[in-house]
Amino acid sequence: MDDELGESLPRGVALSWGLVKPPQRGPKREMSVEKIVDAAIAIADKEGLSALSMSRVAEALGFTTMSLYRYVPSKDDLLLLMQNAASKLEIPPDEDDTDWRQKIRVYVRASIQAFRDHPWFGDIPVTGVPLMPNNLQIVDWALRALDGLPLNDFEKMSTVLLVSSYARSVGIIQRDFDRAIQAGASPGSFTGLDYTNALRQLVTPDRFPNLHPLVASGVYTEESPQENPVGDDFDWGLERILDGIEAYLTAKKTK
């Protein structure tokens, strides 16, 4: 059964589920799929996906490249396994007295952090629905937050996709900010604060009638941020998404 199931899945996915038998040859005791994945993640975390290759991972482990292929057949399979490993988030216990909005907030923030902890994570394109165990565990976690709400299965999955897409977008932006700072950029260059004076001269009211007032007030570059009752820009955006879901729920109840 496991052999048939494993053959129906992409090799990397089957490996993530433990559906592939370990190789009969090769350095059995010193090598494992987990060690290969850990070494690959260490390289990608430090130097990015562009520095990652099967030969580089083999070198880091002290083995030949061919010995790695006995455990992980290709780099594409390795990327799937890395993605699965990076998706192993700490899922909090369910608390009945916590409202669904707070549960979604916790889920989104943890998802955002994954992109910051592993900067390469967002560089791997989405190629389909989640199939690997840790990815599916995250989906299950998000669905748990919606338990008891008057949503059908389609609405639940669409809600998870909505908040997950927002988390991915924010996570990639915050990851890029982290990269810019690590590369020596000032926080002001990322927010535009370093260029406030130049922008005030370049953004004229005749050419940019709607943007000009925001640049003049200092809000555009966060020189003079106006009060936001929920935190930063990203928190504000999440709250508006939650407001929209709540309005939808209210409308369903009144029908």
Side-chain angles (χ1 to χ4, degrees):
M1 176 67 175
D2 284 353
D3 290 342
E4 293 181 5
L5 184 57
E7 290 175 1
S8 70
L9 295 167
R11 190 70 169 178
V13 176
L15 281 165
S16 73
W17 285 97
L19 297 175
V20 178
K21 294 180 180 179
Q24 300 303 310
R25 296 181 299 164
K28 297 186 184 68
R29 294 183 180 178
E30 299 87 357
M31 184 79 75
S32 68
V33 172
E34 291 75 14
K35 288 182 178 180
I36 294 170
V37 172
D38 287 345
I41 288 176
I43 293 170
D45 282 350
K46 185 177 181 180
E47 302 177 49
L49 287 183
S50 61
L52 186 68
S53 66
M54 296 295 279
S55 60
R56 180 72 187 280
V57 176
E59 180 184 354
L61 291 170
F63 294 101
T64 66
T65 305
M66 287 306 300
S67 66
L68 259 66
Y69 283 115
R70 296 192 183 101
Y71 291 81
V72 180
S74 70
K75 183 179 177 180
D76 287 342
D77 293 316
L78 179 58
L79 291 175
L80 285 173
L81 292 165
M82 292 168 62
Q83 186 182 50
N84 183 61
S87 298
K88 189 175 183 179
L89 305 183
E90 185 175 345
I91 299 176
D94 194 16
E95 298 179 354
D96 294 336
D97 59 345
T98 303
D99 74 284
W100 67 269
R101 289 180 66 125
Q102 179 58 21
K103 291 178 181 179
I104 291 292
R105 291 186 193 104
V106 173
Y107 164 75
V108 168
R109 288 166 185 160
S111 299
I112 290 171
Q113 192 60 43
F115 290 91
R116 303 184 74 177
D117 291 341
H118 302 289
W120 51 268
F121 190 54
D123 294 333
I124 299 178
V126 176
T127 58
V129 298
L131 294 173
M132 293 175 291
N134 291 338
N135 297 133
L136 291 173
Q137 199 70 59
I138 292 175
V139 175
D140 187 78
W141 175 21
L143 287 169
R144 188 181 75 183
L146 306 177
D147 188 40
L149 298 181
L151 298 170
N152 62 35
D153 292 344
F154 171 80
E155 291 167 330
K156 286 180 180 179
M157 284 307 306
S158 295
T159 301
V160 171
L161 177 60
L162 172 63
V163 297
S164 298
S165 298
Y166 186 71
R168 180 180 178 85
S169 175
V170 172
I172 289 174
I173 291 173
Q174 293 196 346
R175 174 208 67 182
D176 290 348
F177 178 81
D178 294 338
R179 282 176 169 174
I181 298 302
Q182 290 168 6
S186 69
S189 67
F190 195 87
T191 63
L193 185 60
D194 291 352
Y195 316 114
T196 297
N197 291 333
L199 284 170
R200 283 179 173 167
Q201 297 179 59
L202 296 169
V203 180
T204 57
D206 56 328
R207 186 173 181 182
F208 304 98
N210 301 297
L211 178 60
H212 176 264
L214 277 69
V215 172
S217 70
V219 170
Y220 184 72
T221 58
E222 298 184 6
E223 179 188 25
S224 302
Q226 295 177 2
E227 183 179 354
N228 179 358
V230 298
D232 61 22
D233 297 343
F234 301 124
D235 287 335
W236 191 92
L238 176 58
E239 291 306 311
R240 301 298 72 76
I241 291 173
L242 297 178
D243 286 346
I245 296 170
E246 189 161 6
Y248 181 74
L249 294 171
T250 301
K252 288 197 70 172
K253 291 177 181 178
T254 57
K255 286 184 178 179

